[in-house]
Amino acid sequence: MNLVSYSIKTKGVLAFSRRLVTVFTRFGVSEERTRRSLDSMIEAVRAYDSAPTFFIPASVLGRSSGLIRRVQRSGAEIGVHGYVHNDYRGLSKDAQARQTRDAIAVFDREKIQFAGFRNPYLGWDEVSIEVFRSCGFSYDSNEAVFHDVVAVNGLASALADSLSRSLKLFQAIPYTEYNLRPHTEDGLVRIPLSIPDDEMLFDRLQITDTDRLGELWRSIMRRVYDAGGIYVLNLHPERGVLARGALDALLRKAREFALPVWVARLCEVQEWWRERAETTAQVTSAGDGHWRVEVIGSPRATLLTRNLTIEGSETTPWPGGDCRVMSRSCVVAAAAFPGVALSERTTPDVERMLREQGYPILRVASEAQAAGSVFVDRPEGLGGDRAERQHTASALVKVIEQGAAPLARIGIWPEGRRAALSITGDIDSVTIQDFFLRILEVRRFSAA
Ligand SMILES: [Zn+2]
């Protein structure tokens, strides 16, 4: 399927005609407009001591490598957005691997370092994960978590249809079903992004007022902060100048909370996630209703506790009734093991997921032995399909982190940060020529 029919199918004829008009206003024959947009985003994030992460198809990179090298030298991260701007869903594993390796060859030739992959249209499938891993990627940024910040009831039916088409296209997961934390699948770190992105808001829902846009993104940031997760914003650089006010408002919002929000590139997030995976809160009995809790691993780790009396260590308050312990070890008074007691018959996938959350784990022979601790008994595992596994994991995390049982754990983010924010953008085209070349390139690749 070529881009025209693809776009019409997912956006509708009217939306596609509008898109054609905007292409001529947002891109130029030269790289100049895109360069200005990229610079605008880089400048906005630099004020927060960080930089954006951009994803670009290799074919576009090949035509604008000078510009992209300059962007990377400025501190921004560059990731791979396919060889051409096509959807991987429905391609065989061989075809996905071939196109991914071809993309890597262009990045290598143009001397652009990369760590991550994001699919055009977020069009990944189960096979893609194996391909990313075997091609040496450290992370992907494809899982789209949808925040219902726009009231769908109030929308005209054409807009509501357009929204539901894009949610389907992006395989959107409701935010109530996902805890907005990265996770690892067979060595690949997966970092969720949050939608609606700029494309959905501008072109599908026709919300173009910068103040309104900023308000919506700020409300997502609030939710992500409350959940202690990560907000990965996707702002296509073609709207980088147009949406600058909204981006500034979002970044300002991230500085307004009681606890710091980590503004970081995705490559730093994946590095941290690996470092954190090597870190545990080790719990040993100190006798007489006392336990010694010690961080083993990363010096950047944050130690959190709830429903415990901490002796001889300084603490500061943390949202949700938790405490942050300011030292790497402490002695706590608790009637029971301050971690998760797991029944013998609970499956390894559940244990892996719980360890990834940073909880100390103790296998117990019976529920009686777990008395007073959080007890998890799940012989059936997390679930049969991906949606079920996400739902179970999210629900378990809520029960454990909001419960009344004593709990020590490694916080999600480094150095006492409550949440994370990554500004990202897909550079689908640099020039008007790129936009039209996409139609030919995607057709050639579908036929290949
Ligand atoms: Zn794209």
Side-chain angles (χ1 to χ4, degrees), residues 81 85 120-121 236 426 428:
H81 196 45
H85 200 277
Y121 313 105
H236 292 75
D426 302 345
D428 295 341

Side-chain angles (χ1 to χ4, degrees), residues 164-421:
S164 74
R165 270 198 300 272
S166 58
L167 292 179
K168 196 166 163 228
L169 176 67
F170 294 154
Q171 311 176 80
I173 309 160
Y175 96 105
T176 46
E177 295 292 301
Y178 199 110
N179 57 30
L180 286 167
R181 298 170 183 182
H183 68 280
T184 305
E185 282 181 41
D186 299 327
L188 182 77
V189 176
R190 309 206 68 204
I191 308 174
L193 67 155
S194 284
I195 53 173
D197 65 0
D198 63 314
E199 194 265 336
M200 291 170 81
L201 293 170
F202 266 88
D203 293 356
R204 290 177 192 261
L205 295 173
Q206 293 167 38
I207 298 171
T208 52
D209 176 62
T210 305
D211 290 347
R212 174 88 180 108
L213 205 65
E215 207 179 286
L216 293 171
W217 288 346
R218 286 200 311 269
S219 63
I220 296 176
M221 187 68 246
R222 167 93 250 170
R223 283 180 176 197
V224 173
Y225 180 85
D226 288 342
I230 184 168
Y231 183 4
V232 176
L233 173 80
N234 190 10
L235 168 57
H236 292 75
E238 61 182 272
R239 296 181 198 83
V241 171
L242 218 59
R244 175 64 192 266
L247 177 59
D248 286 336
L250 167 64
L251 286 159
R252 263 198 315 276
K253 175 76 186 170
R255 280 287 180 274
E256 284 170 8
F257 297 106
L259 293 171
V261 171
W262 186 30
V263 182
R265 296 170 300 168
L266 293 180
C267 58
E268 296 167 273
V269 172
Q270 78 81 23
E271 274 167 22
W272 160 245
W273 204 252
R274 289 176 192 281
E275 188 179 318
R276 186 180 172 280
E278 303 293 313
T279 304
T280 53
Q282 191 184 73
V283 174
T284 44
S285 172
D288 193 26
H290 285 73
W291 308 81
R292 184 172 176 75
V293 180
E294 190 174 359
V295 176
I296 308 289
S298 170
R300 298 197 285 164
T302 306
L303 178 60
L304 302 178
T305 63
R306 66 185 284 115
N307 309 318
L308 288 169
T309 308
I310 292 139
E311 295 177 359
S313 288
E314 199 189 323
T315 63
T316 57
W318 194 261
D322 288 350
C323 274
R324 179 184 172 201
V325 180
M326 302 309 286
S327 53
R328 286 178 65 79
S329 68
C330 60
V331 173
V332 302
F337 173 74
V340 178
L342 210 54
S343 72
E344 297 283 9
R345 59 186 194 157
T346 294
T347 50
D349 62 330
V350 177
E351 179 169 346
R352 240 187 338 267
M353 186 281 290
L354 295 171
R355 284 194 188 280
E356 189 167 27
Q357 304 311 316
Y359 312 141
I361 303 286
L362 179 70
R363 285 279 184 176
V364 293
S366 66
E367 188 168 359
Q369 203 191 328
S373 301
V374 183
F375 177 61
V376 173
D377 175 39
R378 254 200 104 76
E380 70 275 38
L382 288 174
D385 62 22
R386 184 172 284 279
E388 200 187 335
R389 289 197 295 275
Q390 263 157 7
H391 174 81
T392 309
S394 254
L396 273 174
V397 165
K398 274 198 193 97
V399 166
I400 293 166
E401 293 185 11
Q402 295 169 14
L407 179 70
R409 65 180 165 111
I410 301 295
I412 299 300
W413 302 110
E415 295 167 327
R417 274 97 158 208
R418 167 63 180 175
L421 170 65

